[in-house]
Amino acid sequence: MRLVSIFLKSLKEQIRDPLTLSLSLAFAPFFVLLYGLFFPSESTAYSLLVLNHDAGAQIVDGSRQDYGEEILRAMAELAYADERQMLEIEIVDDRASAEQRLRDRDADALLVLPEALSQTIWEASQGRETAIAEVIFIGDLTSPKYLVAAVMANAVLDEHIHEATAQVRPITITEIPLGASAERSEFEIYVPGLIIFAVVMLIFQASMTIAREIESGTLRRLEFSRMKAFDYIGGTTLALLAIALIQVLLTFFTAEALNFRSQGALWLAVLIGALTALSIIGAGMIVACLSKSVSQAFIIANFPMALFMFFSGAIYPVHNPTLFTIGERTIGIFDTIPATHAVVAMNKVFTLGAGLGEIGYELGMLLMLSLLYFVAGIWLFRQTQLKSK
Amino acid sequence: MDDIILRLEGLTKRYGALTAVTDLDLEIYAGEILGFLGPNGAGKTTSINMMSGLLRPDDGRVILRGVPITVSSEEVRSRIGYCPQEVALWGRLNCAEQLQFMAMMHGLKRAKAREASHHLLETFELIESRGKQARKLSGGMQRRLNVAMSLVHDPDIVFLDEPEIGLDPQSRIMVREYIRGLAGSKTIILTTHNMDEADRLSDRVAIIDHGALIALGTPEELKRSIGAEDVLEIEVTSTPSDMTALQKRIEDLGCQVELAPSDGALFMRGREVISQLPSIVDTLNRTGLRFGEIRVRQTTLEDVFIHLTGRRLRE
């Protein structure tokens, strides 16, 4: 009963502070909106510049064979399941200006077809010895978009040469995309991380709510009542979990409005969000206990927020240095952050359509770490703030 | 006044090398108002925390109605009310919600909580503002609500920490009358630095310093205990160069006095100071001391407090 009273009291306080609440709730959906504007929400088309020097091949009967043109047509026909083009091909005539566009990230890759391309293929198809023609790919190897564009173009080129020269392949290579990963837009790739980011933002609300109770003396007043530590922590946690739930749903529906397509069940995402929130509330409690005021709590909370946000892979992938290995599992240093597992699980659900069984490991780790953070928060809170309880 | 509600037996609390409270023995009677006085850092808060079951003593025990109390005891909490010196309210809850919430934290059912809240809102003249959030109340109203919050569960013992601080004169009178009205039905333990407040309200006063009880009695008993009835307060423009010589000259007039120079004033406390006033003035003139206004008053609780605890600043 007392737990319910504290839950309702906390909820009332949150609702009656509309500015803080709305900022807290709107932050992640706002980021989703920005990502939606900055990144294409349709399947990504990669920009390929082509410097076509191919002079074609003179065939014995007098006709001409233009393999370069054929290859470029095949590249242009590459399409996603939604029939959108994979490669946007642009013919250029100046290598220097094309390279400058690559540097400016105005294009993803530059393909240079040599003058003797068709002639070489033709000769090879006739079984004659011929000089080797050099096809050149130019691009920024640190750009993931270059790698994808080059791989796609290379696959078409390779396939065409094999067909034209009737060479027998000893092996065939088949690419099978996991889940709906082949059709994901760049925007959709960011959404699972942004939902975890929304939950991570709860650290401000959690730490400031508790710090306010300490600073104003109301926690001490409650200490003189029959309230138990369980009532206070339980009631406050429930109110914060309710906010986390709204954050997750608001972020998800904002993303959906911007053409995000989930492959998995929403309830799984909510479960992942709730477990992550538990660890964030624990961290918030630790921050509150280390703070002397609400403003100090706000400043200190930035540290774990940045840690959870940047090193969990929520915003961009990070290298995770290995700590140790258990069986086939490699445990990295950032695996100690609950949000790391939450991001992986969220990605599996939203992109690969994973079910509960397929995210068992991540959920298990998330649950274990979240409980650890939460219990650490409770322990410190009881030790420093509720000594008599 | 022989119904003991709270008995402290050899209460001791140490923090490392510091002994905050030493062997404190005290009997508190049901229905009395006990002024619990002491300089800052004297051990008042530590003592109150032990009395209320918030802090475990290192030695000794607290006995409530014959039963030793333990830390975390719900039974103890239901019988104790605590009003902190600072306003401790939830800024975004209104007056009625604050009281009802606190009542429910003390285990009252919703209907009872509402009833108790309504009664206190009327008593503390906050009924018109019952729907107003605490952060929007005036300072005086917040203070009144702060006191009301400690009474919502109808406790037997109420700890009031500086209840009159920050109150305007009207609110002060109202709160004072209410506290006086509680006497008899409730035991009030009042901590304050306002000696006038302690004098007016307390049935008995306990003075604690360096963690030990140094005086206990009614305000009148304590005033008599320092053996003086009259105090002369003389405005001076300079401090006498030889205080011991001046004291001897005045004592030669037949007055047992204690001289205490203060900021621009010289306090002279002792018997017969009023009857010997012309001779004292003459003596001061002869020492060349320049002085202005002379005020005569009776010994106050503040004189007792300063007499017992000294003038040295504690913080």
Side-chain angles (χ1 to χ4, degrees):
Chain A
M1 188 60 190
R2 278 188 281 264
L3 185 145
V4 175
S5 298
I6 290 169
F7 166 66
L8 293 174
K9 185 266 303 177
S10 300
L11 222 50
K12 265 183 206 165
E13 286 183 293
Q14 305 281 3
I15 292 165
R16 288 177 189 175
D17 187 2
L19 182 65
T20 312
L21 183 65
S22 54
L23 279 176
S24 170
L25 290 177
F27 203 78
F30 176 68
F31 260 67
V32 166
L33 204 63
L34 288 184
Y35 272 66
L37 291 173
F38 295 156
F39 298 102
S41 57
E42 293 95 11
S43 309
T44 308
Y46 299 89
S47 159
L48 179 70
L49 305 179
V50 180
L51 197 55
N52 189 3
H53 295 305
D54 182 25
Q58 188 69 47
I59 301 172
V60 192
D61 61 4
S63 64
R64 288 183 62 79
Q65 182 69 38
D66 208 334
Y67 286 111
E69 284 298 326
E70 280 180 19
I71 289 166
L72 291 180
R73 267 199 302 280
M75 284 181 185
E77 282 166 11
L78 265 185
Y80 292 106
D82 61 4
E83 297 184 350
R84 279 186 59 83
Q85 258 190 323
M86 286 182 175
L87 292 171
E88 276 175 0
I89 293 164
E90 186 184 343
I91 305 295
V92 294
D93 51 16
D94 177 47
R95 179 165 169 170
S97 63
E99 284 184 12
Q100 187 56 48
R101 286 180 62 187
L102 292 177
R103 284 190 199 95
D104 296 342
R105 300 233 163 158
D106 186 31
D108 302 318
L110 169 63
L111 171 67
V112 183
L113 300 179
E115 189 178 350
L117 176 75
S118 294
Q119 195 62 44
T120 306
I121 296 172
W122 170 252
E123 297 291 344
S125 69
Q126 301 305 307
R128 298 178 196 143
E129 285 286 321
T130 177
I132 294 171
E134 186 186 25
V135 173
I136 303 170
F137 277 102
I138 301 169
D140 175 359
L141 265 70
T142 62
S143 161
K145 290 178 93 173
Y146 163 73
L147 297 174
V148 178
V151 166
M152 284 178 176
N154 190 41
V156 173
L157 185 70
D158 187 56
E159 185 61 34
H160 212 82
I161 292 168
H162 269 89
E163 269 181 26
T165 54
Q167 287 175 12
V168 179
R169 285 178 186 271
I171 53 165
T172 58
I173 298 169
T174 309
E175 184 186 60
I176 301 172
L178 284 173
S181 58
E183 289 98 41
R184 298 310 265 182
S185 67
E186 208 173 339
F187 165 67
E188 284 175 309
I189 292 166
Y190 290 112
V191 171
L194 285 173
I195 290 181
I196 296 304
F197 170 61
V199 180
V200 169
M201 292 306 291
L202 188 70
I203 195 160
F204 291 108
Q205 204 85 352
S207 58
M208 287 163 71
T209 299
I210 298 166
R212 187 177 297 117
E213 201 95 68
I214 297 167
E215 188 183 14
S216 67
T218 46
L219 187 66
R220 183 161 166 75
R221 194 183 267 294
L222 286 172
E223 266 201 289
F224 276 91
S225 75
R226 299 175 79 151
M227 178 201 81
K228 293 187 172 71
F230 171 78
D231 299 326
Y232 181 77
I233 293 164
T236 309
T237 300
L238 279 180
L240 290 167
L241 277 177
I243 293 172
L245 180 71
I246 298 169
Q247 279 176 323
V248 168
L249 293 176
L250 263 180
T251 313
F252 176 81
F253 289 123
T254 307
E256 241 191 8
L258 295 167
N259 290 333
F260 172 75
R261 296 149 299 164
S262 169
Q263 302 300 312
L266 179 59
W267 71 267
L268 272 177
V270 170
L271 176 66
I272 296 165
L275 288 177
T276 313
L278 211 56
S279 68
I280 299 297
I281 294 166
M285 269 191 241
I286 295 171
V287 169
C289 293
L290 299 175
S291 314
K292 288 187 174 66
S293 62
V294 176
S295 52
Q296 203 178 19
F298 176 77
I299 293 165
I300 296 176
N302 277 283
F303 177 70
M305 189 275 289
L307 195 75
F308 285 5
M309 200 169 81
F310 293 117
F311 294 102
S312 64
I315 301 297
Y316 53 81
V318 282
H319 170 61
N320 193 358
T322 304
L323 271 182
F324 53 86
T325 306
I326 308 172
E328 291 179 357
R329 290 272 179 194
T330 302
I331 307 295
I333 191 162
F334 302 133
D335 286 327
T336 53
I337 300 173
T340 304
H341 304 282
V343 171
V344 177
M346 203 68 99
N347 262 315
K348 281 188 176 179
V349 171
F350 280 153
T351 307
L352 309 179
L356 187 61
E358 290 152 291
I359 55 169
Y361 170 74
E362 286 79 15
L363 273 188
M365 286 297 283
L366 181 59
L367 178 64
M368 189 184 76
L369 287 169
S370 291
L371 285 177
L372 198 70
Y373 276 61
F374 191 62
V375 169
I378 292 174
W379 179 82
L380 190 66
F381 185 68
R382 288 186 69 145
Q383 286 300 309
T384 58
Q385 308 300 333
L386 292 176
K387 289 177 198 160
S388 63
K389 302 280 178 183
Chain B
M1 272 283 190
D2 55 356
D3 178 16
I4 296 167
I5 188 166
L6 202 64
R7 187 199 301 273
L8 318 183
E9 291 181 351
L11 221 51
T12 301
K13 186 71 191 176
R14 299 178 202 91
Y15 294 105
L18 174 80
T19 304
V21 176
T22 313
D23 201 22
L24 180 63
D25 291 314
L26 185 61
E27 287 175 344
I28 299 167
Y29 302 114
E32 77 166 324
I33 299 180
L34 177 77
F36 198 62
L37 314 182
N40 290 338
K44 295 191 300 290
T45 306
T46 307
S47 303
I48 285 175
N49 283 348
M50 288 191 285
M51 283 186 227
S52 57
L54 270 192
L55 192 62
R56 197 187 305 276
D58 292 325
D59 287 311
R61 57 183 187 162
V62 180
I63 299 166
L64 177 67
R65 285 266 183 234
V67 180
I69 67 169
T70 54
V71 170
S72 307
S73 161
E74 280 200 17
E75 171 62 17
V76 172
R77 287 188 212 299
S78 65
R79 300 177 73 166
I80 284 176
Y82 173 71
C83 172
Q85 182 181 333
E86 302 80 21
V87 171
L89 301 170
W90 289 274
R92 292 183 189 274
L93 296 191
N94 66 38
C95 297
E97 286 170 343
Q98 309 255 359
L99 288 164
Q100 283 168 32
F101 172 66
M102 209 54 220
M104 289 169 82
M105 288 299 101
H106 280 289
L108 270 70
K109 299 275 180 222
R110 191 174 294 276
K112 281 273 176 202
R114 202 170 289 146
E115 197 180 306
S117 153
H118 190 82
H119 168 69
L120 284 168
L121 286 170
E122 278 187 334
T123 305
F124 283 90
E125 294 180 25
L126 290 164
I127 197 77
E128 299 292 322
S129 306
R130 63 184 177 276
K132 225 179 197 180
Q133 289 182 20
R135 67 197 171 101
K136 291 179 180 167
L137 296 175
S138 70
M141 289 165 107
Q142 287 183 347
R143 288 268 159 203
R144 270 145 50 198
L145 183 59
N146 201 38
V147 176
M149 296 275 277
S150 62
L151 299 159
V152 73
H153 57 299
D154 194 23
D156 295 335
I157 304 172
V158 185
F159 292 93
L160 298 174
D161 192 358
E162 301 276 5
E164 292 189 4
I165 209 164
L167 289 176
D168 59 33
Q170 287 81 5
S171 297
R172 194 155 54 229
I173 291 168
M174 195 259 267
V175 168
R176 193 176 288 169
E177 281 174 358
Y178 183 73
I179 293 171
R180 270 256 60 107
L182 288 176
S185 62
K186 295 195 189 309
T187 304
I188 313 271
I189 298 169
L190 179 77
T191 63
T192 179
H193 285 126
N194 183 342
M195 296 299 143
D196 180 49
E197 179 186 14
D199 199 354
R200 284 167 190 257
L201 281 173
S202 309
D203 296 313
R204 288 191 306 153
V205 168
I207 298 177
I208 182 172
D209 198 13
H210 300 296
L213 185 68
I214 55 171
L216 177 66
T218 65
E220 291 311 314
E221 282 170 351
L222 292 181
K223 284 182 231 170
R224 278 199 301 273
S225 72
I226 62 170
E229 291 296 334
D230 305 320
V231 173
L232 274 186
E233 191 180 331
I234 303 164
E235 268 183 21
V236 291
T237 51
S238 62
T239 308
S241 54
D242 190 346
M243 192 69 81
T244 318
L246 178 63
Q247 179 152 356
K248 185 160 185 333
R249 282 187 183 189
I250 293 169
E251 281 177 353
D252 286 346
L253 298 171
C255 302
Q256 287 298 312
V257 295
E258 184 188 325
L259 287 181
S262 184
D263 187 22
L266 185 67
F267 289 94
M268 195 176 292
R269 181 187 304 117
R271 290 179 187 150
E272 309 300 326
V273 288
I274 294 188
S275 59
Q276 292 294 334
L277 187 57
S279 309
I280 291 170
V281 170
D282 188 43
T283 304
L284 293 177
N285 273 327
R286 272 190 272 137
T287 56
L289 191 71
R290 289 170 166 270
F291 56 90
E293 197 174 316
I294 297 176
R295 286 182 289 273
V296 182
R297 61 172 172 79
Q298 285 196 315
T299 300
T300 63
L301 205 51
E302 184 163 309
D303 297 320
V304 178
F305 187 82
I306 294 295
H307 175 80
L308 292 171
T309 61
R311 289 179 172 275
R312 187 174 57 82
L313 293 175
R314 303 304 173 88
E315 289 180 328

